[in-house]
Amino acid sequence: MTPRLKLENVGVQFAGLRAVSDVSFEVAPGEICAVIGPNGAGKSTLFNAIGGYVRSTGHVWLDDAQLSGKPIHEIAAFGVRRTFQNGGLFPDLTVIENVAVGLHQSHNISLLSGAFSLPSARRMEADAVRKARELLDLMGILSIERVLVRDLSSGQRRIIEIARALAVPAKLLMLDEPAVGLTTLEIEHLDQILKRLAREGISVLLVEHVLDLVMSVSDKVVVLSSGERLAVGTPAEVRQDQAVLEAYLGYSELC
Ligand SMILES: Nc1ncnc2c1ncn2[C@@H]1O[C@H](COP(=O)(O)OP(=O)(O)OP(=O)(O)O)[C@@H](O)[C@H]1O
Ligand SMILES: [Mg+2]
């Protein structure tokens, strides 16, 4: 099967620092792949290289499309979606409105522009709301569609950010530390959502320090250390990898 995402010798250089060095791995359609490693290992930089946010060497493919060297918006148009640390949700809009806005933004339409007085725009709005509801249903959060975002917990907001990122068709979802600040219950919910998205065929690339979540959801784990790929394998394989144990994780943390 053609991999959904393929990285071949990806490297990122910041002045004198080689932040990512010759990293290669593949992610299949519907596969959840975690990227783990100590602080400064190059995980976020690797995401930025895939998304076109930093200049990189090597090659990145999404299905048959070469992403390397393409601008951010073109890479996004191929179906690469991501969330940001400061999610940029609108606190005074409802959950459904926030997700529908994600759809409009993808069509370069401003919700506040008054464009909805046109029949075609109204149809697009109805379509956006219908798609947003489908997404909330898939994520098991349709019951809170009319709640204002400002009344949500930080964990619920994180999940809305993911929903909004997925408002346009996604082939690859990249999440950088989505479990930060979440309660155990919220992490369990996130766990279920990621598995559900993967069953829908979306490939997920997950940078995460919460190892329980990593070990539970991942089909594959890539371990980075000082910008280099130290190991790749199933959670069980990585857990037993002597180089990984010695290099950073600490035996007790992985068991
Ligand atoms: N824009 C930048 N300019 C210069 N150096 C950078 C830049 N972004 C990251 N770095 C450096 O590149 C290295 C990798 O950083 P990166 O943020 O990718 O690590 P990380 O694995 O995501 O760490 P963390 O777990 O703390 O988020 C670090 O040494 C960092 O200081
Ligand atoms: Mg990071």
Side-chain angles (χ1 to χ4, degrees):
M1 192 195 293
T2 313
R4 168 61 49 78
L5 177 75
K6 184 174 178 184
L7 271 65
E8 207 175 78
N9 302 110
V10 172
V12 178
Q13 181 92 24
F14 291 124
L17 174 77
R18 192 115 184 95
V20 175
S21 203
D22 278 336
V23 171
S24 303
F25 64 90
E26 294 179 358
V27 183
E31 193 170 52
I32 301 180
C33 174
V35 180
I36 64 171
N39 295 118
K43 306 179 296 292
S44 297
T45 304
L46 186 68
F47 270 23
N48 288 335
I50 295 168
Y53 294 82
V54 292
R55 191 191 292 259
S56 60
T57 53
H59 298 282
V60 179
W61 283 274
L62 188 79
D63 294 333
D64 293 328
Q66 162 96 253
L67 301 186
S68 331
K70 297 232 169 12
I72 295 169
H73 68 274
E74 251 182 71
I75 292 174
F78 279 119
V80 176
R81 311 293 300 159
R82 65 178 290 184
T83 56
F84 290 89
Q85 197 135 16
N86 295 314
L89 296 176
F90 299 101
D92 293 324
L93 295 185
T94 63
V95 165
I96 190 88
E97 285 165 342
N98 266 276
V99 177
V101 163
L103 265 162
H104 287 302
Q105 283 172 339
S106 74
H107 290 97
N108 283 328
I109 294 171
S110 163
L111 193 64
L112 308 170
S113 73
F116 295 115
S117 54
L118 298 170
S120 60
R122 274 205 300 275
R123 263 200 311 280
M124 219 182 276
E125 186 190 22
D127 198 37
V129 170
R130 185 180 52 76
K131 284 195 187 136
R133 295 194 85 229
E134 277 172 18
L135 200 54
L136 293 182
D137 194 25
L138 171 70
M139 297 177 79
I141 49 172
L142 191 54
S143 60
I144 58 167
E145 65 171 326
R146 307 242 168 256
V147 178
L148 293 178
V149 159
R150 71 169 130 88
D151 295 331
L152 298 179
S153 69
S154 55
Q156 287 172 312
R157 284 181 204 207
R158 199 69 50 75
I159 286 160
I160 307 308
E161 286 161 19
I162 295 173
R164 200 174 59 166
L166 294 173
V168 281
K171 288 183 174 177
L172 175 71
L173 175 66
M174 297 199 288
L175 302 174
D176 198 346
E177 303 198 31
V180 168
L182 267 53
T183 63
T184 311
L185 217 66
E186 288 169 339
I187 291 174
E188 274 172 28
H189 188 200
L190 182 63
D191 181 306
Q192 288 163 13
I193 286 173
L194 295 183
K195 287 174 181 162
R196 221 183 270 188
L197 295 175
R199 278 199 297 274
E200 292 292 311
I202 297 172
S203 301
V204 181
L205 207 50
L206 170 74
V207 165
E208 188 50 71
H209 286 289
V210 177
L211 289 177
D212 282 349
L213 177 65
V214 167
M215 296 302 172
S216 163
V217 297
S218 306
D219 301 298
K220 180 186 278 184
V221 181
V222 174
V223 186
L224 292 187
S225 178
S226 305
E228 292 183 6
R229 196 190 87 177
L230 189 67
V232 58
T234 63
E237 286 164 352
V238 164
R239 209 184 273 248
Q240 287 162 11
D241 188 300
Q242 204 52 39
V244 175
L245 295 175
E246 283 169 12
Y248 101 101
L249 279 165
Y251 188 70
S252 60
E253 263 186 281
L254 272 181
C255 293

